[in-house]
Amino acid sequence: MQGAKRKRSVVVSISLQSLPLRPSTLTALLRSGVSTTGDLGSIGSIATLAEDLGCSAAQAVEYVDEINEILETSGMPQVLAGDENDSSRGHAPATTAASLLRSKLTNHSGTAQQNRQIVSFSQSLDVLLGGGVALAELTEIVGRPGSGKTQLTMQLCVDARLPSKYGGVEGSVVVIDAEGSWSCSGMDRLWDMSVALVDHLRGSAARRVAAKNAMEGRADVP
């Protein structure tokens, strides 16, 4: 009787220089002698990696999460997952331009929910932008003084809060005001825009209900 054959697991070691890592991440790891995913996996823990790199555990987690995100996208096993009880695991993983691009390409053929954009409610502008202001992209608004740049930006901030059931992205907005345009009077304008948007949605909903009732009424006529 032959003994049972042992299964051997093959661990693929990949050069970190072949991965689309941030230059800062790659430099920090290479300086510490970590040049492959195999080197990273052999370290054993986030704490040891942080000690080898001379950085905080949170920073080490960001490095590992960045590498694991790339490996997962490529269908390869992750390395150095870390201890789930480690307090540093609560930090958000680093987001790179490459990961944003991969996410956009992945979602390009996804559902309507994934491909939603911030609508401006200006049909000509939304058509020009391919459906509205795209997410995870930088959109620069330029124009002469008084041409409505601040007004449009305020409107987009209001529109970004639009619930998904109304075709919005149901997002949040962060404003960095370098000119002081978003003063108290600006907040009043935002409130007026918000009230106008709510009135517009209520009016649209009422018109849809009326049209539906009219269609059903005609269908009931013999």
Side-chain angles (χ1 to χ4, degrees), residues 119-216:
V119 294
S120 67
F121 288 97
S122 170
Q123 185 176 7
S124 57
L125 179 59
D126 289 337
V127 170
L128 182 65
L129 294 174
V133 177
L135 303 180
E137 291 185 8
L138 180 64
T139 301
E140 183 177 8
I141 302 172
V142 298
R144 294 176 178 272
S147 59
K149 300 185 298 295
T150 301
Q151 184 83 5
L152 175 58
T153 305
M154 288 183 172
Q155 183 64 58
L156 291 173
C157 288
V158 172
D159 298 342
R161 297 289 296 152
L162 189 66
S164 57
K165 65 180 180 180
Y166 293 113
V169 298
E170 203 167 340
S172 300
V173 177
V174 175
V175 176
I176 302 176
D177 183 12
E179 294 182 343
S181 304
W182 299 67
S183 57
C184 293
S185 60
M187 296 302 103
D188 292 338
R189 290 164 64 188
L190 278 174
W191 175 259
D192 292 339
M193 290 178 182
S194 301
V195 172
L197 178 58
V198 171
D199 291 341
H200 172 74
L201 294 175
R202 286 175 175 171
S204 298
R207 287 190 293 272
R208 288 197 198 95
V209 171
K212 180 180 179 181
N213 291 339
M215 291 293 295
E216 291 177 350

Side-chain angles (χ1 to χ4, degrees), residues 94-113:
T95 301
T96 65
S99 64
L100 286 175
L101 178 60
R102 285 194 298 273
S103 176
K104 185 174 181 61
L105 294 176
T106 301
N107 294 337
H108 181 70
S109 59
T111 63
Q113 175 71 24

